[in-house]
């Protein structure tokens, strides 16, 4: 087990096509893990090992790998950039200590860039920024830095200046050491030439280093005092101050490069080691004791009892692997561990260090490491694995709600059980995938995060389980809510199994904030109604809210209040109040102007200026609302809100409207009333 201070657990995050996987491939090559440069466009990337990833040229599943750099052990998770696979970013950031955010030098901060940045903010993950594709026409790192500051509300700390621009990009000027770094390209970027700063860049470099020192000094009193005294600031002193400011989340160091042209990767690795946290820098993890709910703290070291979070379940050659982040203690093959959610004991048959889809067996893994474990049959995403004698449970991972459904059925009745088996495996692997069975049509209905998400799933059924299925058209997942307020009163009195069941109550409903779900409260004094009766009313309300009064979709964004209740000790029961709660809710919803809600998507379209009119007309035909049109290099960027129901088939339409030169991305914005 490596020492804690020499471990780095990092994620590569960005918008789709910013170059995450290419950066990771270069890292693997320069650290000696791979001996050939894998190219995404050739379908040879080590990290994109799934057949569909290689065909489509995108990352679908977060892949973990391990490498060594300057005597440091680095675990890297390359995450998807497509919004349909946002859960892969979410659960990866939950367990990582640091991240490298990739921005394309032409496109800059894009919608999914913002999404993954906010996810990292939520978990307090320190970041580096790497501005990639500096060799492309229209590359403008200064604009990207301004966007990081303005759109992401971060403080970019420029550590490098470009040496040359666009096709003349040769290397960078290192502002920490005040030297030039040059890649000639005749050995795939393996050799890095260190030299003096070119005379034409010296003045700019001196001025930019002053800005660098001043920015960091705002967060380091010792450096500020040293700087104000007029003494020169040394590289090591500056590097230490940058590290502390980065760990505190006060600044984001910015580096430059072109991963496809093999430039800028070695300094990025140096920055990962120098500025991103080790597990020793991470505060102790806090969980709850499942036995009594008291708070439990685990320090990041091997001497504490075992505590690990299962953040991903994957099928590898038909075998189930569970990815764990060990926060304390150590884990050995064959060890019996407790799943604190289920209360069951499982056995870790093998402990593995992953290299994308290849692996290495370990005799032991310790605190701070990310490993895969075979043998944990009932452990799912978000479960805590711990020492049975000292159990604890960490906070679960947030799982977004699906927005698109798809009906599937096997080609033959003989394949019905085979389909059920395959979907059971895939559901365990992907927590954003949901499955229900439509009794009327005899179809299995899958719910997912988008068309691509479900398309990939259907393809996996064929490739991995040799299963052909009939597929229905994608359908939108709707919701229901209310526009008005209502209060209803009723009583329930019935003989059930020879006993009178009595309940009487008043229930009020009113609209709540968008995205707030269903909020239940009781105005009845505690001394007038037993707690189990209030719980029964709430349970009846929530059960009824799962199927609304308009079209039977789940009801969201409402506030439900129990106003009054009459309780008779001799014949009032939780069952009676639960049934009444459901009946009252349905009556109240009918009286409160019920409304259907549909998912709205935020769309970003990149298109040449000549086709902007065509694209705007196309979006307006699809009930889209254009929010802005901006210029980005040689392209126009349209931001629009469009109902998801109107977006099926838009890829083909955009190609037609822009002669194949337009691209788009979209992510979920909110639910809104159907127009």
């Amino acid at each position: 087990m490596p020492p804690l201070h020499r471990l780095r657990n990092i994620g590569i995050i960005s918008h789709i096509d910013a170059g995450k996987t290419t950066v990771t491939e270069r890292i693997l090559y320069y650290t000696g893990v791979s001996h050939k440069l894998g190219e995404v466009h050739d379908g040879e990337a080590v990290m994109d090992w799934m057949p569909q990833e290689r065909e489509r040229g995108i990352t679908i599943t977060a892949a973990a790998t391990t490498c060594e750099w300057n005597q440091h052990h680095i675990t890297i998770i390359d995450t998807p950039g497509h919004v349909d696979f946002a859960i892969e970013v979410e659960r990866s950031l939950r367990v990582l200590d640091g991240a490298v955010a990739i921005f394309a030098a032409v496109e800059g901060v894009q919608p999914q860039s913002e999404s993954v940045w906010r996810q990292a903010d939520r978990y307090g993950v320190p970041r580096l920024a790497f501005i990639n594709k500096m060799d492309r026409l229209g590359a403008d790192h200064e604009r990207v830095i301004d966007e990081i500051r303005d759109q992401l509300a971060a403080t970019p700390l420029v550590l490098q200046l470009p040496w040359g621009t666009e096709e003349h990009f040769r290397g960078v000027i290192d502002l920490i050491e005040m030297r030039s770094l040059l890649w000639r390209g005749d050995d795939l970027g393996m050799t890095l030439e260190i030299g003096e700063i070119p005379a034409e860049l010296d003045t700019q470099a001196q001025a930019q280093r002053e800005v660098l020192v001043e920015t960091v000094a705002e967060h380091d009193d010792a450096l500020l005092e040293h700087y104000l005294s007029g003494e020169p600031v040394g590289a090591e002193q500056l590097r230490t101050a940058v590290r502390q400011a980065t760990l505190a989340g006060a600044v984001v160091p910015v580096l430059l490069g072109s991963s496809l042209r093999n430039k800028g990767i070695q300094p990025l690795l140096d920055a990962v080691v120098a500025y991103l946290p080790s597990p020793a820098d991470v505060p102790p993890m806090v969980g709850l004791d499942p036995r009594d709910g008291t708070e439990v703290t685990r320090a990041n070291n091997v001497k504490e009892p075992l505590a690990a979070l299962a953040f991903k379940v994957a099928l590898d050659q038909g075998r189930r692997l569970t990815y764990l982040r060990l926060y304390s203690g150590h884990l050995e093959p064959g060890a019996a561990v407790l799943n604190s959610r289920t209360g069951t004991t499982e056995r870790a048959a093998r402990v593995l260090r992953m290299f994308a889809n290849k692996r290495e067996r370990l005799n032991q893994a310790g605190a701070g490491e990310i490993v895969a474990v075979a043998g944990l049959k009932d452990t799912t995403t978000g479960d805590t694995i711990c020492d049975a004698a000292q159990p604890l449970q960490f906070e679960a991972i947030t799982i977004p709600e699906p927005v698109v459904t798809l009906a599937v059925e096997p080609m033959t009745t003989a394949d019905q059980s085979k389909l059920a088996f395959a979907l059971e495996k895939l559901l365990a692997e992907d927590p954003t995938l949901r499955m229900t069975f439509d009794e009327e049509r005899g179809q299995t209905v899958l719910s997912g995060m988008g068309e691509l998400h479900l398309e990939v799933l259907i393809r996996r059924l064929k490739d991995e389980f040799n299963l052909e299925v009939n597929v229905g058209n994608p359908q939108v997942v709707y919701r229901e809510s209310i526009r008005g307020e209502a209060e209803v009163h009723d009583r329930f009195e019935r003989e059930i199994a020879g006993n009178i069941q009595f309940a009487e109550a008043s229930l009020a409903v009113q609209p709540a904030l968008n995205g707030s779900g269903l909020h239940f409260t009781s105005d009845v004094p505690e001394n007038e109604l037993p707690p189990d009766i209030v719980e029964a009313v709430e349970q009846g309300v929530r059960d009824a809210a799962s199927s609304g009064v308009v079209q039977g979709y789940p009801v969201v964004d409402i506030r439900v209040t129990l106003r009054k209740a009459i309780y008779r000790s001799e014949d009032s029961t939780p069952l009676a109040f639960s049934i009444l709660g459901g009946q009252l809710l349905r009556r109240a919803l009918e009286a409160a102007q019920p409304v259907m809600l549909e998912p709205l998507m935020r769309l970003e379209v990149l298109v040449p200026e000549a086709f902007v009119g065509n694209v705007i007309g196309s979006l307006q035909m699809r009930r889209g609302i254009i929010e802005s049109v901006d210029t980005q290099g040689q392209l126009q960027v349209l931001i629009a809100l469009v109902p998801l129901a109107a977006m099926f088939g838009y890829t083909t339409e955009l190609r037609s409207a822009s002669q194949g030169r337009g691209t788009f991305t979209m992510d979920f914005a909110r639910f809104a009333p159907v127009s």
Side-chain angles (χ1 to χ4, degrees), residues 101 103 108-110 113-114 117-118 121 127 129 131 140-159 161 208 211-212 214-216 218-219 250-254:
F103 301 95
V109 176
Q110 297 172 276
S113 307
E114 289 194 54
W117 193 273
R118 303 300 174 215
D121 281 342
R127 274 144 282 174
I131 300 178
D140 186 349
H141 72 288
E142 292 182 349
R143 177 178 55 80
V144 180
I145 290 167
D146 289 339
E147 290 177 357
I148 293 173
R149 181 183 296 107
D150 299 336
Q151 296 183 28
L152 304 181
T155 302
L157 194 66
V158 179
L159 302 187
L161 294 179
Q208 193 63 52
V211 174
L212 167 61
E214 288 174 6
T215 305
V216 179
E218 294 177 12
H219 308 282
V251 300
V252 178
V254 178

Side-chain angles (χ1 to χ4, degrees), residues 16-37:
I16 190 170
D17 202 33
K20 294 182 307 299
T21 301
T22 305
V23 168
T24 310
E25 292 298 318
R26 296 319 187 254
I27 289 175
L28 297 183
Y29 181 70
Y30 297 134
T31 56
V33 173
S34 60
H35 303 290
K36 176 185 175 184
L37 284 178

Side-chain angles (χ1 to χ4, degrees), residues 344-667:
T344 58
T345 299
E346 299 196 67
R347 192 166 297 279
R350 293 188 300 279
V351 180
L352 309 167
R353 177 167 290 137
M354 299 303 294
F355 299 91
N357 64 331
K358 297 181 173 61
R359 62 182 79 89
E360 170 193 335
R361 287 200 182 195
L362 299 177
N363 295 323
Q364 188 180 72
E369 293 192 77
I370 292 177
V371 295
V373 175
L376 303 181
K377 297 179 181 179
D378 298 319
T379 299
T380 61
T381 298
D383 285 355
T384 303
I385 298 301
C386 58
D387 187 325
Q390 299 189 56
L392 87 163
Q393 191 161 352
F394 294 132
E395 181 183 353
I397 295 172
T398 304
I399 308 297
E401 288 294 316
V403 294
V404 176
T405 64
L406 195 71
V408 298
E409 57 186 22
M411 289 286 193
T412 66
T413 54
D415 282 342
Q416 185 67 54
S417 60
K418 191 176 177 182
L419 176 62
F421 171 80
L423 289 177
E424 180 186 353
K425 295 287 188 183
L426 294 174
L427 284 164
E429 181 177 325
D430 186 351
T432 60
L433 182 65
R434 311 289 166 82
M435 180 181 72
T436 57
F437 188 74
D438 188 329
E439 297 284 354
E440 292 184 9
R441 296 181 176 84
Q443 292 177 321
T444 299
V445 179
L446 300 175
S447 302
M449 303 307 297
E451 279 187 280
L452 180 60
H453 183 204
L454 295 176
E455 188 181 319
V456 166
L457 177 81
I458 299 303
R459 179 64 182 275
R460 290 188 65 188
L461 288 174
K462 179 180 179 180
D463 291 348
E464 297 176 29
F465 298 94
N466 195 28
L467 190 61
E468 296 280 358
V469 293
N470 292 317
V471 181
N473 291 326
Q475 303 290 324
V476 173
V477 175
Y478 291 92
R479 295 287 186 267
E480 297 183 23
S481 191
I482 55 175
R483 282 197 176 101
E485 301 182 7
E487 184 170 339
V488 294
H489 178 91
D490 207 348
R491 65 187 290 170
F492 176 87
E493 190 167 8
R494 190 175 301 170
E495 183 177 325
I496 300 176
N499 298 313
I500 296 296
Q501 305 273 347
F502 172 82
E504 186 171 346
S506 296
L507 204 69
V509 297
Q510 61 188 105
L513 293 174
N514 190 289
S516 59
L518 186 154
H519 185 67
F520 179 88
T521 55
S522 173
D523 288 348
V524 182
E526 292 183 6
N527 60 347
E528 294 182 15
L529 206 60
D532 63 328
I533 296 297
V534 177
E535 291 174 6
V537 175
E538 180 176 0
Q539 188 59 52
V541 164
R542 293 192 180 278
D543 289 344
S546 65
S547 177
V549 297
V550 182
Q551 290 288 340
Y553 290 102
V555 181
V556 297
D557 302 340
I558 62 170
R559 185 178 295 276
V560 183
T561 307
L562 179 62
R563 298 284 193 208
K564 300 175 184 176
I566 297 176
Y567 174 78
R568 300 197 309 222
S569 58
E570 65 274 11
D571 52 17
S572 287
T573 64
L575 175 62
F577 272 94
S578 179
I579 295 172
L580 180 61
Q583 294 175 346
L584 287 173
L585 180 73
R586 298 191 69 81
R587 284 184 51 201
L589 292 175
E590 289 170 352
Q593 303 173 47
V595 61
M596 286 273 288
L597 303 178
E598 64 179 346
L600 283 186
M601 310 301 287
R602 175 167 282 103
L603 196 71
E604 181 189 72
V605 184
L606 274 74
V607 65
E609 186 174 1
F611 305 107
V612 168
N614 294 347
V615 172
I616 290 177
S618 169
L619 291 175
Q620 289 175 337
M621 290 288 290
R622 292 173 177 263
R623 296 189 284 140
I625 300 171
I626 308 299
E627 291 192 325
S628 66
V629 180
D630 297 311
T631 301
Q632 190 179 89
Q634 308 296 315
L635 299 174
Q636 297 292 301
V637 183
L638 285 75
I639 305 294
L641 284 176
V642 190
L644 176 60
M647 285 305 298
F648 296 119
Y650 183 66
T651 302
T652 302
E653 185 171 320
L654 178 62
R655 287 190 189 122
S656 176
S658 65
Q659 297 181 8
R661 296 170 65 188
T663 60
F664 80 96
T665 57
M666 67 178 182
D667 59 353

